[in-house]
Amino acid sequence: MQDDDILTRINGLIAEEHELRARLAQGEVSSEEENDRIVSLERALDQCWDLLRRRRARREFGEDPYDAAPPPIDEVDSYQQ
């Protein structure tokens, strides 16, 4: 996956969050459904941003940025506040 693909994925996740919040405001989803999906979206966004940071760090040190791997979910869970 190229960096541009990751950025496209991030934009899609953000759009999905906005759509979900609009559907909640219209009463189309329950707050429990929204909360579960928001947690999932946050994890995916955290993984995408972290992967981009790891790639940038590898580039800065002259390493292959595509050797960077997404963090495991349990690591991403600790990002959330």
Side-chain angles (χ1 to χ4, degrees):
M1 185 180 261
Q2 301 292 321
D3 289 356
D4 288 344
D5 297 325
I6 297 169
L7 291 170
T8 298
R9 174 78 173 134
I10 288 170
N11 287 334
L13 292 167
I14 291 170
E16 188 175 345
E17 179 188 3
H18 289 286
E19 179 183 337
L20 183 61
R21 292 191 186 278
R23 290 179 57 210
L24 177 68
Q26 296 171 2
E28 296 176 11
V29 295
S30 72
S31 59
E32 184 178 333
E33 290 173 7
E34 180 202 29
N35 187 53
D36 291 346
R37 186 61 191 139
I38 291 292
V39 168
S40 176
L41 289 169
E42 288 174 347
R43 285 178 180 159
L45 282 166
D46 286 342
Q47 283 185 309
C48 288
W49 286 121
D50 192 59
L51 180 56
L52 286 173
R53 284 190 294 272
R54 290 173 190 228
R55 286 185 174 182
R56 184 181 64 223
R58 285 182 171 275
R59 280 187 191 99
E60 288 176 7
F61 290 100
E63 299 173 14
D64 183 357
Y66 297 103
D67 284 343
I73 284 292
D74 59 340
E75 182 180 321
V76 172
D77 283 339
S78 69
Y79 296 168
Q80 299 178 356
Q81 300 185 22

